[in-house]
Amino acid sequence: MKRSKRKEAQLALAERFLALEPAQGAHPILRAARAEAREQLRAEGLPIYREEHYQYFKIDELLSQDWRIESLPRLTKEQASGYACRLTYPDARQNYLIGGMVTTSDEAQGFFAGSLNDFATKYPGVAERYYGRMNSVQKSRLARLNTLFVEDAFVFYLPKGTKLDAPVHLIHYATIAGRDGVLTFPRVLVIAEEGAEGKLLLCDHDVVDTASAYVGVLEIYAEEGAKLQYYNIEESDSLSLRIMETHIHLEEDSHVLVDNITVHNGRTRNNYFCDLAGERAHLDLDGLGVLDDDKSLDNWSEIRHSMPNCTSDELFKYTMNDTAIGSFSGLIYVARDAQKTVAFQNNRNLLLSDAAKMFSKPQLEIYADDVKCSHGMTTGELDEQAVFYMQQRGIPRMEARLMLTVAFMADVLDKIEYEPLRKRLVGTLDNRYRGLPATCKQ
């Protein structure tokens, strides 16, 4: 059968990577998944620009740039400390994922945070049961690309009944100093067993003025009654390319909060695959993007309600200045048996210049008849009447516009349950809009 031009392009992009040899030093669990990923990529290819879910993100053009794929050294704890965040959290435990390699492992208070190499040695059955097993991971073309080249994975494991008050703070860099133009494949595996509770804060940084790219995969498993908070703060360089997939599986009575804050970036694509697979599961999926210059941010999500009595609340907000481009595409899918579903989806956007653009596509696909679901989208400019009102009370025009812009983002920040992070981000965004330093990098 003759292939279409689109299929030829998808396969050609995959062949660029299939022709390369992945590193051989990875753990057997990682290597075992490569053969299947290779065959699937050869048969199905990779996503390209203008196919259904990539209407506004030129993924094939960006991945086809002259990136180098090479093994980066595993840094010692002392070397990794040179990449530490200047703004730390007093109760947090810091870990590092740099150039796709985890530095050291941490095990205390009944939890594990560290390299898959150490984790699979101590918990081989758990590693085998969870790594790469989620249905959406196995079907994702980008996850297959990550699987083909990943050399290590960061594992955050909360055994049954573990309740961890302090967050684990994972600091990620796509490359190391002195290595320009490198494409890496970070992987994160989060497992919260029955009744476990914890928080993971991932700070996404770049070496200043260094072009880097990554295709990352994060897997979150929330078992029965588990409660997990995941915060991802992107403070990457304008030269960076970030493609990140987050796959979430929720079992009965579990609660997961995901909040993704893009403070600085270059080209960013975030994919969210969420499956509420147990009754009374609840998901909060939120995002915030601050874009200027010619930056772009593309958020795509699919929330599947597979079982009855589940709830989800999704909110994404953008502000765009200069010639920045934002896009959002979100689907809420309600299965036939998922009665009593309650699901909300909102995308709200603020254009701060005439040249900025926003594309939005909220969607509902409902097969059950006893549900409460809604979706909405608004894109507009600052309310000039509100600006005028503030000026009449002595507030300068530029300050009034800034205050209204920061206030526009408040409800996303209010959803952050970890108070030290929420307080820090309020100040960070205020500085960001004022043109002041707004980063926790050293």
Side-chain angles (χ1 to χ4, degrees):
M1 182 181 296
K2 186 178 180 180
R3 293 170 176 163
S4 67
K5 289 184 178 180
R6 173 177 292 181
K7 190 64 177 181
E8 291 288 356
Q10 292 169 336
L11 295 173
L13 180 59
E15 283 298 329
R16 290 176 59 93
F17 294 96
L18 291 169
L20 305 174
E21 285 295 326
Q24 298 302 310
H27 191 276
I29 288 180
L30 302 180
R31 294 201 306 270
R34 286 178 177 172
E36 185 177 0
R38 178 178 291 276
E39 292 308 309
Q40 290 170 331
L41 281 173
R42 182 166 284 118
E44 298 183 28
L46 285 168
I48 61 172
Y49 180 50
R50 290 301 190 190
E51 65 176 73
E52 182 180 1
H53 300 308
Y54 290 87
Q55 292 291 313
Y56 307 107
F57 190 77
K58 299 180 179 180
I59 186 168
D60 45 347
E61 177 182 315
L62 293 167
L63 285 177
S64 296
Q65 293 178 11
D66 193 22
W67 302 110
R68 300 194 321 277
I69 298 177
E70 57 185 55
S71 295
L72 298 177
R74 186 187 306 276
L75 302 185
T76 65
K77 189 172 184 179
E78 290 70 27
Q79 291 171 325
S81 65
Y83 295 81
C85 291
R86 179 175 55 84
L87 297 176
T88 58
Y89 303 93
D91 57 342
R93 295 174 176 271
Q94 286 200 349
N95 295 82
Y96 298 89
L97 176 58
I98 300 176
M101 306 296 284
V102 181
T103 52
T104 57
S105 297
D106 184 12
E107 188 168 15
Q109 299 180 27
F111 78 97
F112 179 94
S115 171
L116 178 70
N117 293 289
D118 298 331
F119 180 74
T121 299
K122 184 159 188 177
Y123 305 97
V126 179
E128 288 278 1
R129 185 161 67 249
Y130 286 103
Y131 176 76
R133 299 301 186 183
M134 207 178 299
N135 189 47
S136 61
V137 173
Q138 295 178 350
K139 290 183 176 180
S140 166
R141 290 170 290 173
L142 288 174
R144 294 166 188 164
L145 179 62
N146 176 280
T147 298
L148 185 63
F149 289 100
V150 63
E151 295 184 68
D152 197 3
F154 177 81
V155 180
F156 181 33
Y157 173 52
L158 293 163
K160 180 179 179 179
T162 302
K163 291 179 171 55
L164 188 63
D165 293 329
V168 168
H169 185 190
L170 179 60
I171 299 168
H172 172 252
Y173 279 75
T175 188
I176 60 176
R179 297 289 185 95
D180 200 1
V182 174
L183 171 62
T184 55
F185 301 88
R187 189 86 171 226
V188 178
L189 174 61
V190 180
I191 306 165
E193 290 187 340
E194 181 181 343
E197 298 180 11
K199 308 178 190 72
L200 176 63
L201 167 59
L202 192 158
C203 281
D204 205 351
H205 298 314
D206 273 320
V207 179
V208 177
D209 296 329
T210 299
S212 65
Y214 75 82
V215 178
V217 172
L218 168 71
E219 300 172 72
I220 296 176
Y221 294 87
E223 296 295 350
E224 181 179 347
K227 295 182 180 180
L228 188 72
Q229 299 171 35
Y230 168 62
Y231 305 106
N232 185 191
I233 314 302
E234 182 182 6
E235 294 182 343
S236 54
D237 193 82
S238 60
L239 300 174
S240 70
L241 167 63
R242 164 193 159 113
I243 301 173
M244 186 69 181
E245 291 206 336
T246 301
H247 299 258
I248 308 170
H249 181 90
L250 298 92
E251 284 294 344
E252 182 177 342
D253 294 312
S254 63
H255 289 220
V256 174
L257 167 64
V258 175
D259 214 322
N260 195 108
I261 311 294
T262 299
V263 180
H264 290 279
N265 76 315
R267 303 284 181 267
T268 299
R269 166 76 180 212
N270 296 313
N271 293 337
Y272 301 92
F273 301 84
C274 314
D275 187 13
L276 287 80
E279 286 201 53
R280 297 175 300 281
H282 175 75
L283 170 70
D284 262 302
L285 177 60
D286 309 305
L288 181 158
V290 181
L291 307 179
D292 56 11
D293 299 326
D294 64 344
K295 298 177 174 64
S296 67
L297 170 61
D298 189 347
N299 283 306
W300 180 95
S301 69
E302 179 180 287
I303 299 175
R304 301 184 69 88
H305 285 257
S306 302
M307 296 293 288
N309 301 302
C310 293
T311 56
S312 65
D313 191 0
E314 181 178 18
L315 175 63
F316 278 82
K317 284 194 166 186
Y318 298 64
T319 64
M320 287 148 294
N321 209 342
D322 305 318
T323 59
I325 299 177
S327 56
F328 169 81
S329 177
L331 170 67
I332 293 176
Y333 176 93
V334 182
R336 190 176 304 278
D337 294 330
Q339 304 294 344
K340 304 295 183 182
T341 288
V342 178
F344 304 109
Q345 179 189 85
N346 270 294
N347 172 225
R348 304 188 185 281
N349 315 294
L350 191 58
L351 300 177
L352 301 176
S353 75
D354 293 337
K357 295 179 181 179
M358 180 68 202
F359 303 93
S360 185
K361 187 181 179 182
Q363 305 162 80
L364 297 176
E365 189 173 338
I366 301 172
Y367 296 96
D369 53 16
D370 186 8
V371 302
K372 184 179 180 181
C373 300
S374 69
H375 63 168
M377 185 279 290
T378 59
T379 298
E381 301 175 350
L382 283 174
D383 185 347
E384 284 300 325
Q385 286 189 335
V387 174
F388 177 75
Y389 177 86
M390 296 172 74
Q391 286 181 277
Q392 293 300 103
R393 278 143 185 80
I395 301 175
R397 177 175 174 80
M398 291 303 296
E399 182 70 16
R401 289 179 60 86
L402 185 147
M403 292 172 65
L404 290 171
T405 302
V406 173
F408 173 77
M409 296 297 201
D411 48 354
V412 177
L413 298 180
D414 287 344
K415 285 191 158 190
I416 297 175
E417 297 180 15
Y418 180 50
E419 186 175 359
L421 175 62
R422 185 173 66 250
K423 288 182 175 179
R424 186 217 132 188
L425 283 172
V426 169
T428 296
L429 292 178
D430 187 86
N431 286 345
R432 177 76 170 89
Y433 288 118
R434 292 179 187 275
L436 301 174
T439 175
C440 63
K441 292 180 289 186
Q442 287 185 327

